Amino acid sequence: MVVWAQTDDGVRGFLVPAGTPGMTATPITQKLSMRASIQCDVVFDGVRLGPDAMLPAAMGLRGPFTCLNEARYGIVWGAMGAARDSYEAALAYSQDRLQFGKPLAGYQLTQEKLVNMLLEIQKGTMLAYYLGRLKDEGKLRPEQISLGKLNNVREAIKVAREARSILGGNGITLDYSPLRHAANLESVRTYEGTDEVHLLVLGQHITGLSAFR
Ligand SMILES: Cc1cc2nc3c(=O)[nH]c(=O)nc-3n(C[C@H](O)[C@H](O)[C@H](O)COP(=O)(O)OP(=O)(O)OC[C@H]3O[C@@H](n4cnc5c(N)ncnc54)[C@H](O)[C@@H]3O)c2cc1C
């Protein structure tokens, strides 16, 4: 387990091997989101580690933020993957499902939903691509990652929910992916910086005023 902890020398990172005496990790069950991955309730009680457990180069908050920035950048893409899969499931379904003798895809209301999904997927993917180019050039700034994570997750969850509506009653079953994506994206809104925190990062960036506290 990678643990970031406050020390006399500021925040430092520690590698805590599974089975270390005093450490317990109890899986959190009964989740409605991210059900395929395990999160644990972690307790440290009198845990002792040798000096080699400390990450030598990570000093201060820069260490965890560097990790978070990598994960957040990945989410900018991942959210669009979930949105695209939802859209493709809804598009395929709407082309097959007949109502009054014609595919759902042939109705204007369905086309509006599909086109609006497509617009957000294309915009979000282009944003991810642009941020990736900046990253390759070593120019990607944390507030730009906040912009990508906040926007792409927020839009992806809207796309997944709209896709579910095209699937009608079938959309609430495990046979189709959009509602699963929407449920998982609820977690993604929260981890790696909540929507609110990314919004405040951007608010601070454009106003120069911190509203975190
Ligand atoms: C599936 C999943 C996996 C996770 N994996 C990890 C992991 O591997 N490692 C890890 O360390 N954590 C992990 N987390 C925890 C996650 O990082 C936290 O849940 C998240 O940071 C929010 O913290 P919290 O749950 O304590 O909510 P809180 O901090 O209590 O926040 C609750 C609400 O209040 C808002 N809020 C809080 N403070 C402010 C403020 N100052 N201004 C405005 N609004 C505010 C938040 O945005 C949120 O909407 C995971 C969470 C999930 C769901």
PDB file of all heavy atoms in Angstrom, residues 12-14 48-56:
ATOM      1  N   ARG A  12       5.355  12.725   3.475  1.00  0.00           N
ATOM      2  CA  ARG A  12       6.256  11.750   2.862  1.00  0.00           C
ATOM      3  C   ARG A  12       5.444  10.528   2.442  1.00  0.00           C
ATOM      4  O   ARG A  12       4.382  10.238   3.006  1.00  0.00           O
ATOM      5  CB  ARG A  12       7.355  11.304   3.842  1.00  0.00           C
ATOM      6  CG  ARG A  12       8.229  12.417   4.381  1.00  0.00           C
ATOM      7  CD  ARG A  12       9.023  13.123   3.287  1.00  0.00           C
ATOM      8  NE  ARG A  12       9.839  12.235   2.485  1.00  0.00           N
ATOM      9  CZ  ARG A  12      11.161  12.104   2.624  1.00  0.00           C
ATOM     10  NH1 ARG A  12      11.810  12.804   3.532  1.00  0.00           N
ATOM     11  NH2 ARG A  12      11.841  11.293   1.844  1.00  0.00           N
ATOM     12  N   GLY A  13       5.969   9.796   1.457  1.00  0.00           N
ATOM     13  CA  GLY A  13       5.302   8.591   0.972  1.00  0.00           C
ATOM     14  C   GLY A  13       5.937   7.334   1.551  1.00  0.00           C
ATOM     15  O   GLY A  13       7.166   7.265   1.706  1.00  0.00           O
ATOM     16  N   PHE A  14       5.107   6.348   1.902  1.00  0.00           N
ATOM     17  CA  PHE A  14       5.598   5.096   2.485  1.00  0.00           C
ATOM     18  C   PHE A  14       5.001   3.911   1.723  1.00  0.00           C
ATOM     19  O   PHE A  14       3.822   3.939   1.338  1.00  0.00           O
ATOM     20  CB  PHE A  14       5.181   4.991   3.957  1.00  0.00           C
ATOM     21  CG  PHE A  14       5.768   6.078   4.814  1.00  0.00           C
ATOM     22  CD1 PHE A  14       5.106   7.294   4.955  1.00  0.00           C
ATOM     23  CD2 PHE A  14       6.992   5.902   5.455  1.00  0.00           C
ATOM     24  CE1 PHE A  14       5.660   8.311   5.724  1.00  0.00           C
ATOM     25  CE2 PHE A  14       7.543   6.914   6.229  1.00  0.00           C
ATOM     26  CZ  PHE A  14       6.876   8.123   6.366  1.00  0.00           C
ATOM     27  N   ARG A  48       5.019  -0.112  12.550  1.00  0.00           N
ATOM     28  CA  ARG A  48       6.404   0.366  12.531  1.00  0.00           C
ATOM     29  C   ARG A  48       7.044  -0.071  11.210  1.00  0.00           C
ATOM     30  O   ARG A  48       6.870  -1.207  10.779  1.00  0.00           O
ATOM     31  CB  ARG A  48       7.187  -0.210  13.717  1.00  0.00           C
ATOM     32  CG  ARG A  48       6.623   0.246  15.064  1.00  0.00           C
ATOM     33  CD  ARG A  48       7.576  -0.017  16.207  1.00  0.00           C
ATOM     34  NE  ARG A  48       8.785   0.806  16.150  1.00  0.00           N
ATOM     35  CZ  ARG A  48       8.833   2.068  16.562  1.00  0.00           C
ATOM     36  NH1 ARG A  48       7.756   2.672  17.024  1.00  0.00           N
ATOM     37  NH2 ARG A  48       9.956   2.731  16.511  1.00  0.00           N
ATOM     38  N   LEU A  49       7.763   0.870  10.596  1.00  0.00           N
ATOM     39  CA  LEU A  49       8.393   0.598   9.302  1.00  0.00           C
ATOM     40  C   LEU A  49       9.858   0.982   9.363  1.00  0.00           C
ATOM     41  O   LEU A  49      10.220   1.935  10.071  1.00  0.00           O
ATOM     42  CB  LEU A  49       7.720   1.440   8.198  1.00  0.00           C
ATOM     43  CG  LEU A  49       6.218   1.208   7.959  1.00  0.00           C
ATOM     44  CD1 LEU A  49       5.668   2.308   7.069  1.00  0.00           C
ATOM     45  CD2 LEU A  49       5.989  -0.158   7.326  1.00  0.00           C
ATOM     46  N   GLY A  50      10.660   0.288   8.594  1.00  0.00           N
ATOM     47  CA  GLY A  50      12.077   0.642   8.499  1.00  0.00           C
ATOM     48  C   GLY A  50      12.263   1.841   7.595  1.00  0.00           C
ATOM     49  O   GLY A  50      11.345   2.225   6.849  1.00  0.00           O
ATOM     50  N   PRO A  51      13.445   2.454   7.623  1.00  0.00           N
ATOM     51  CA  PRO A  51      13.689   3.647   6.791  1.00  0.00           C
ATOM     52  C   PRO A  51      13.574   3.368   5.298  1.00  0.00           C
ATOM     53  O   PRO A  51      13.263   4.271   4.523  1.00  0.00           O
ATOM     54  CB  PRO A  51      15.115   4.063   7.160  1.00  0.00           C
ATOM     55  CG  PRO A  51      15.695   2.951   7.969  1.00  0.00           C
ATOM     56  CD  PRO A  51      14.593   2.090   8.468  1.00  0.00           C
ATOM     57  N   ASP A  52      13.811   2.095   4.913  1.00  0.00           N
ATOM     58  CA  ASP A  52      13.732   1.796   3.478  1.00  0.00           C
ATOM     59  C   ASP A  52      12.286   1.797   2.972  1.00  0.00           C
ATOM     60  O   ASP A  52      12.040   1.686   1.775  1.00  0.00           O
ATOM     61  CB  ASP A  52      14.403   0.450   3.170  1.00  0.00           C
ATOM     62  CG  ASP A  52      13.745  -0.703   3.913  1.00  0.00           C
ATOM     63  OD1 ASP A  52      13.085  -0.436   4.946  1.00  0.00           O
ATOM     64  OD2 ASP A  52      13.879  -1.853   3.452  1.00  0.00           O
ATOM     65  N   ALA A  53      11.303   1.915   3.895  1.00  0.00           N
ATOM     66  CA  ALA A  53       9.904   1.957   3.456  1.00  0.00           C
ATOM     67  C   ALA A  53       9.524   3.331   2.911  1.00  0.00           C
ATOM     68  O   ALA A  53       8.493   3.496   2.275  1.00  0.00           O
ATOM     69  CB  ALA A  53       8.977   1.595   4.621  1.00  0.00           C
ATOM     70  N   MET A  54      10.366   4.340   3.174  1.00  0.00           N
ATOM     71  CA  MET A  54      10.014   5.699   2.774  1.00  0.00           C
ATOM     72  C   MET A  54      10.491   5.986   1.348  1.00  0.00           C
ATOM     73  O   MET A  54      11.635   5.675   1.001  1.00  0.00           O
ATOM     74  CB  MET A  54      10.630   6.703   3.749  1.00  0.00           C
ATOM     75  CG  MET A  54      10.096   8.095   3.580  1.00  0.00           C
ATOM     76  SD  MET A  54      10.326   9.089   5.067  1.00  0.00           S
ATOM     77  CE  MET A  54      12.085   9.294   5.066  1.00  0.00           C
ATOM     78  N   LEU A  55       9.630   6.562   0.544  1.00  0.00           N
ATOM     79  CA  LEU A  55      10.033   6.927  -0.818  1.00  0.00           C
ATOM     80  C   LEU A  55      11.052   8.068  -0.714  1.00  0.00           C
ATOM     81  O   LEU A  55      10.739   9.122  -0.146  1.00  0.00           O
ATOM     82  CB  LEU A  55       8.806   7.376  -1.631  1.00  0.00           C
ATOM     83  CG  LEU A  55       7.680   6.336  -1.769  1.00  0.00           C
ATOM     84  CD1 LEU A  55       6.486   6.935  -2.508  1.00  0.00           C
ATOM     85  CD2 LEU A  55       8.176   5.091  -2.510  1.00  0.00           C
ATOM     86  N   PRO A  56      12.259   7.855  -1.224  1.00  0.00           N
ATOM     87  CA  PRO A  56      13.325   8.822  -0.935  1.00  0.00           C
ATOM     88  C   PRO A  56      13.153  10.179  -1.627  1.00  0.00           C
ATOM     89  O   PRO A  56      13.530  11.203  -1.075  1.00  0.00           O
ATOM     90  CB  PRO A  56      14.591   8.108  -1.428  1.00  0.00           C
ATOM     91  CG  PRO A  56      14.128   7.070  -2.375  1.00  0.00           C
ATOM     92  CD  PRO A  56      12.730   6.700  -2.004  1.00  0.00           C
TER      93      PRO A  56
END
